[in-house]
Amino acid sequence: MQIGIGLPNQVRNVTASALPRWATLAEEAEFSTLATTGRYAYPGVSDTVALAAAAGATTTIGLLSAVLLAPAWPGALLAKEIAGIDGVSGGRLTLGIGVGSREDEFTVVGHDMHGRGARLESDLATYRETWSGEPVGNGPNPAVPSGTRQVPFLFGGYSARALDRMVRWGEGYIGGSLPSAMTAPSFEAARRAWREAGRQGAPKLVVLVYFALGDTETGRANLQDFYRLAPRHIAANAVLRTTRATIEQSITEYTDLGIDEIIFVPATEDLDEVTRLADIAT
């Protein structure tokens, strides 16, 4: 199993200038991936900005949005943003996508939640077309430079529609920060949907796990605040790992489930958390 680490871009009132340093430390510690958390109606740093900062501060570590709330963006604009970040990184970006579950994420950008799934379906085609060099809006120019690659997709979510998008558009599935007993059925459903769709091989399976190894009380407070407006079943079951034993237990549990990569998502912006986690997990 690969071990990745999140950026603290959605810790409340995060110090934005800490993100490039965090990314550098994570690469030096040989984590497999740097991941961002996507929210807009919250005092953090947007995942696209955080990914761009990480892309510029690193050279080898993988980059992942886990997950970006794509339907809140105009499709062509996001396609251009993602192509630029991927280009800066030298082709290290994977686009993790979700439809979102909080009303405020959409009202803050002038949308509502109604029809977000249909918007995403249309936007996925827009991304592919834009990255292929198609002109945007029937205009005279493409949105991105020639040579832009097709960025791979992973999908998050708990509905059958999310899995349907995964098998039609994606390379795998991202499971949320819930106890393994709750996420295991979602991973098995992803494998089953992949087989039934006739896709070759197996989907890449990634799981998110929150951690705080230093100031655990601040970590708990930050996690509670972050999930304050989330659906009840998610907010009530978000788990924070705070000890070596619970970190190692998570790795064992998800290894046993056959998960490909575990991303430990920080609940504080303390830079020492990168080293603390690396001492246990890498």
Side-chain angles (χ1 to χ4, degrees), residues 156-158 173-179 183 187 206-210 227 254:
Y158 301 100
Y173 176 77
I174 302 175
S177 303
L178 302 174
T183 56
F187 289 122
V206 178
V207 67
L208 309 177
V209 174
Y210 279 104
Y227 281 103
Y254 285 111

Side-chain angles (χ1 to χ4, degrees), residues 209-260:
V209 174
Y210 279 104
F211 81 100
L213 294 166
D215 187 347
T216 58
E217 290 307 310
T218 295
R220 288 191 180 92
N222 285 341
L223 193 62
Q224 290 171 1
D225 186 73
F226 185 79
Y227 281 103
R228 182 167 51 89
L229 298 179
R232 186 180 301 274
H233 73 283
I234 296 176
N237 290 288
V239 177
L240 183 69
R241 276 69 170 187
T242 61
T243 65
R244 172 182 288 272
T246 55
I247 294 291
E248 291 176 341
Q249 179 184 3
S250 295
I251 294 171
T252 298
E253 289 175 351
Y254 285 111
T255 298
D256 291 345
L257 288 175
I259 306 308
D260 298 293

Side-chain angles (χ1 to χ4, degrees), residues 22-81:
W22 184 288
T24 300
L25 291 172
E27 183 168 78
E28 291 172 351
E30 299 185 346
F31 286 102
S32 58
T33 300
L34 268 168
T36 55
T37 302
R39 278 196 71 181
Y40 306 121
Y42 199 73
V45 174
S46 175
D47 36 14
T48 50
V49 175
L51 286 166
T58 60
T59 58
T60 59
I61 192 170
L63 303 174
L64 171 67
S65 58
V67 295
L68 186 148
L69 307 181
W73 282 76
L77 176 59
L78 182 58
K80 186 176 179 70
E81 292 285 295

Side-chain angles (χ1 to χ4, degrees), residues 131-133 142-149:
W131 296 337
S132 295
V144 299
S146 61
T148 298
R149 74 173 185 131

Side-chain angles (χ1 to χ4, degrees), residues 189-212:
R191 292 188 180 102
R192 183 168 58 252
W194 193 269
R195 291 193 302 269
E196 291 174 353
R199 293 287 300 267
Q200 296 298 307
K204 180 173 182 178
L205 301 178
V206 178
V207 67
L208 309 177
V209 174
Y210 279 104
F211 81 100

Side-chain angles (χ1 to χ4, degrees), residues 165-172 193-202:
R165 293 185 192 105
M166 177 197 73
V167 299
R168 289 187 291 112
W169 294 95
E171 304 302 323
W194 193 269
R195 291 193 302 269
E196 291 174 353
R199 293 287 300 267
Q200 296 298 307

